[in-house]
Structures are given as structure tokens and as C-alpha cells.
Amino acid sequence: MKAIYTERHRSHDPQFFLVRGVVKRTTEQPERADRLLKGLAAGHHQLIEPTAFGQGPRARVHSAEYLGFLEHAWDEWAALGDAGPEMIANIHPVRNAATYPTHIVGKLGWHTIDTACPIGPGTWEGACAATDVAATAAQLVMDGARAVYALCRPPGHHAYRDQASGFCFLNNTAIAAAHLRLAHERVAILDVDVHHGNGTQGIFYERPDVLTISIHADPVAYYPFVWGYAHERGAGPGLGANLNIPLPLGTGDDGYMQALIRAKTMFDAFAPTALVVALGLDASEHDPLAGLAVTTDGFRRIGAAIAAMDLPTVFVQEGGYLSDILGANLTAVLGGFEGAC
Ligand code: ZN
């Protein structure tokens, strides 16, 4: 399987992570990509540089206002003169009627849902590189490849149309799906990250042409806490085109496979002609964010189950944090897929 990758992700190297009031080093580090690259090498996957698509794929799923904010955020922040080394909001005006602010501190709050998406000097470059990686993978699948893997970093599935959160700025998964829509009337997204793909759900919530399914740790007790419940089924023309399958914390391989059977039933009814897999590997039993308990063999089985959906497939890397098993789990899921094709 071809794998799209660029070193440009390294420009984004966030530090700040606030967990239950404690400031820690973020788990979304450049080293993640090094471990994933080892997994790709073990699976003998061919690395390809992304094509530069420019703003087009990003503008299909994000607002012009938000893209403008992200592009110029660091310069405006640095011009304050007394600001910290990363942009972290101290206001989050997300629920009440409000006016779009002109001050950078106001805009930062407007466009971020939580404190887990600090913006640094290289964030825009890294996030844009990841969207090129995702769009290139989608393009290769449109051109006839059975499946392509996109090593995207930073991840994207928590990013909404005009808001960042949870390590995510630009929604690579949604960008891949919107790109596939150029050639496919109906596209499905399967999010297997341990966290609910709330940004992706938000982007497509009222659309009937993109089916979004997310299998994740139950938000009753796990991030993002306020999205990801089973009753969220879409709205307006998109009603019925969103399925959340929350799993109890600690669910292992067998429980996970049952959720995939449910997903396949929904796919069969929707009849998409292309699939984007939001490939978080943080459902691993060894992931530091400890939510579910999927084994390496479980990831192989997940890959085989995705192959059985029998659709042209774009794998977009989402979460999966530093553990000794991270690369092996990537090898396993892609190998499981290829072995079942
Ligand atoms: Zn995740």
C-alpha cells in the first residue's frame, strides 16, 4: 500500500497539555510520526511525498474566516509583545450569542473549543502539510488505487468547520472525504480512533451524502464528554447519516469487532462507493490515553474487517500516542487489510 508522508509536520511541536488542572507535556509529539514510519517500514509500504493542493481542499470543509485566523494567528500573537510561547485561549465563547472579535485573544477563544490545541510558529505550516497528505491519498484512490494510507500529523478529526480542539486544527479526514466526493456521490467515514470524531460529525451533520460512523470510548467518562452519544443521528437532510457507537471503557477486541459488524450493516444500507477510515491507533491496550483495550491482533482483525467493506479506502492517521506498540499496531491494521483483500 502506498503511504503519503512529508517531514513538514515537524514544524508543529506543541508542548502544553492541561489534564484535570495539571499542565503536562502534550502527547501529540513529532516522535509519533517516527514510530509510525517504523510501522510502515515493517510493512514494506512505499512512501510518497504529497502533492501541493493549495487552499482548495481545506476550503471545502473550513470557513474562510477560520483559515485566515490560523494562517495569521502566530504573527498577531507575537506582535502582542508579552504573550507566551504558545497560543492558548483564556476565553471560550461557544454557547451564547456573540460578536466575532477583532483582537487576536478574542479570535483565539472563538476558534478553539479547548486548551488541547496550542498554536505555535509552525502550526499553520504543519497543519497545511497534513491536508496535502490527506488530499493526495484521496486523489490516488480516485485515480484507481484500492487503498492508500495518509500519515497525517497533526491529526484532524476533532477540528470543526471553524474551530480547533483536541490536538486538531484542520480536519484531514473530512478533507479526504470531501475530495472523494468530487468523484463519488456517496462517501462513508469510519472513525476508529478511541475518541469520538466530533469535528467530523459536526462538519457533515446536516449532509445526506456523507455517512459518518464513529466507534469510541463512551463520552460519559471520556473526552470529548459532550459529543459522541448514540442519540446524535444527524440533523435536517443529514438525519440518519450519523452513527455513534460508544463502547464501555476497557472494551477489548471482541466487543470492538461487534461494533464493526454494526458499522458494516449501516454501510451496506447507505451504499457508499468510497470509504475514509479515521485511523486512530489510540484504542490500543497500551496507549497512554487508556480508553479501550484493543490488542495488536485486534488491529489486524480491524484491518481485515475494513477490507470486507469492499470499498476504495483512504486511511487517514488520527490519534495514537507514544507507546512501544504504536508502530506494530499500524503494521497490523494495514497488513490485516491487505491480507483480506
Ligand atoms: Zn484519539
Side-chain angles (χ1 to χ4, degrees), residues 290-302:
L292 301 178
V294 175
T295 67
T296 299
D297 186 58
F299 280 107
R300 183 192 59 74
R301 292 168 65 191
I302 289 170

Side-chain angles (χ1 to χ4, degrees), residues 157-158 167 193-196 222 280-283 289 318-321:
H157 73 148
H158 296 306
F167 310 148
D193 191 282
V194 75
H195 303 98
H196 174 239
Y222 203 72
L281 297 169
D282 43 9
L289 300 188
E318 292 288 355
Y321 300 95

Side-chain angles (χ1 to χ4, degrees), residues 141 145-147 184 186 188 190 260 263-265 267-268 271-277 302-315 336-338 340-341:
V141 167
R146 169 72 173 87
H184 295 270
R186 293 162 82 79
L190 175 65
L260 280 172
K264 182 167 188 328
T265 302
F267 282 138
D268 290 346
T273 54
L275 173 66
V276 179
V277 177
I302 289 170
I306 292 168
M309 291 167 188
D310 199 22
L311 292 165
T313 301
V314 180
F315 289 94
F337 179 91
E338 289 187 315
C341 278

Side-chain angles (χ1 to χ4, degrees), residues 91-99 109-114 160 162-163 226-227:
I91 60 166
H92 292 287
V94 292
R95 283 193 304 158
N96 303 306
T99 300
W110 186 277
H111 289 299
T112 55
I113 291 172
D114 57 33
Y160 285 78
D162 65 353
Q163 286 178 307
V226 292
W227 298 282

Side-chain angles (χ1 to χ4, degrees), residues 131-143:
T131 68
D132 278 338
V133 169
T136 301
Q139 184 64 49
L140 288 173
V141 167
M142 281 162 62
D143 292 344

